[in-house]
Amino acid sequence: MQRPRGTRDFLPSEMRRRRLAENKLREVAESYGYGEIATPTFEEEELFIIRSGEGIVQELYNFEDKGGRRIALRPELTAPVMRAYVADMQFEPKPIKLYYVGNAFRYERPQSGRYREFWQFGAEVIGADTAVATAECIAMAVEMARSIACNVVLKVGHIGILRSMLRETGMDEEEQKKVLRLVDKGEVQDLEETLLGRLDKEKSQDLLSVVRNASSPGDIMNKLVQYPQARECFQKLQDVMELLSIMGVENAETDLAVVRGLDYYTGIVFEIEAPELGAEKQVCGGGEYRLAHLFGGTDVATVGFAIGFDRILLASDGADSGDLLPVLDYYIISIGDTMRECAALAKALRSRGKKVDMDLMGRNLRKAMKYASSRNAKTAVIVGERDAAEGKCTFHDMATGEDEVRSMDDVLSGG
Ligand code: HAM
């Protein structure tokens, strides 16, 4: 039997690495005052269609359940979290700061760093419509990413700048989308041709220089004189950048070509990249958005992000891989008829918080020691029949080879 395409098994050493990384991210989230939320793995398909339009369906793992309901495995967790907010948290004091860790499913062509089942570590801040809320959320994303992979780059943009410029040019919705799609894909050549074919030279140049981030902030402000709404967005972006620098976020780049795949974002948008990952280098994406009103709630400002947990691990430098080996404090070896004594010792040591395993196979001493060494046990505890009769056992230090004979009663009673 084979695993379904685009899925993975995680063996114990990999799972340990993942859990350690997850715990680091949890610690960061809790240090910023976020509370954890969990939502179902599957939702009504409609939730994701309302969020992103019919186009999302081809990307979904969806099916009809036995009751005839259209169901989708979640492709991300923002829409489910906002559904839960509308159902149960709307009247709680704002802002509400939530984080989550969970698997998500997308029917995509699998490749390195792109899977059909993958994990996201994300956060949403609901109800704070300020630059400082957005900056703090971005700062947390960067701190999380850097806690696992040091070589990451933050790019921050504002979706409203290009959107309002395009609106001002008189382009219709479809044309605007086409242009934004080209910006998102970084197809600058096609973009230039499309703009020049549709607009006068001056307007095209204005847009292109914004997309290419070719100008200094002062120049951009001057260019935006004819686009007052875009100017306002740019001002907010500058406020956020200033706050990020105050919050100690280094190497934050302003990038007006970040449009986040034309999703549901309404304001500041950002991405974190790990350049060495090549094509799938985006390890985190997020921004400001409004979804609550689409799910029957009162409109509310929200900002959030999701770290691609699998990708950030691919980018992790492995500096801490020494910690990643599963280490046993004790491996207990029974020689002869001493299983009962060994089981009692294991229980006593475990109850003191030690990591303990014992020979379950009745192997001889040489083989059992070989296994203890393969499990990176620090100490082998050997209980032979004569030792047991005398109430003794031997603690063998696996690193130095030294033996210490101890009283079984002492060990059992916590000595
Ligand atoms: P997203 O950019 O679609 O945003 O996904 C976030 C991250 O998940 C990506 O940056 C990437 O690292 C990872 N990712 C996406 N697809 C895959 C895949 N097929 N395999 C492995 N990793 C993948 C969202 O999902 C939004 N919900 C983020 C957000 C939260 N915006 C506001 N709040």
Side-chain angles (χ1 to χ4, degrees), residues 51 75-78 100 106 108 113-116 118-120 123-124 260 263-265 282-287 289 303-311:
R51 185 209 62 171
E76 53 107 47
L77 284 80
T78 304
Y100 49 81
R106 294 185 192 177
E108 302 191 279
R114 184 174 289 276
Y115 313 99
R116 288 184 170 173
F118 59 99
W119 272 257
Q120 288 191 334
E124 317 291 345
R260 303 270 312 120
D263 241 325
Y264 42 81
Y265 298 96
Q282 202 199 108
V283 293
C284 173
Y289 65 93
V303 58
F305 66 86
I307 289 184
F309 189 65
D310 311 86
R311 283 197 199 163

Side-chain angles (χ1 to χ4, degrees), residues 174-191:
E174 270 318 299
E175 283 175 315
Q176 291 179 31
K177 273 193 187 154
K178 189 176 162 199
V179 169
L180 287 172
R181 217 166 278 130
L182 292 173
V183 175
D184 187 47
K185 295 213 169 90
E187 289 169 6
V188 182
Q189 187 79 35
D190 280 2
L191 177 68

Side-chain angles (χ1 to χ4, degrees), residues 99-152:
Y99 80 89
Y100 49 81
V101 201
N103 52 352
F105 305 84
R106 294 185 192 177
Y107 197 80
E108 302 191 279
R109 210 158 61 85
Q111 52 186 289
S112 168
R114 184 174 289 276
Y115 313 99
R116 288 184 170 173
E117 183 190 25
F118 59 99
W119 272 257
Q120 288 191 334
F121 196 112
E124 317 291 345
V125 184
I126 307 168
D129 194 6
T130 60
V132 70
T134 299
E136 195 201 52
C137 180
I138 300 175
M140 180 170 91
V142 173
E143 189 173 329
M144 284 183 170
R146 293 216 167 118
S147 76
I148 296 180
C150 18
N151 188 22
V152 292

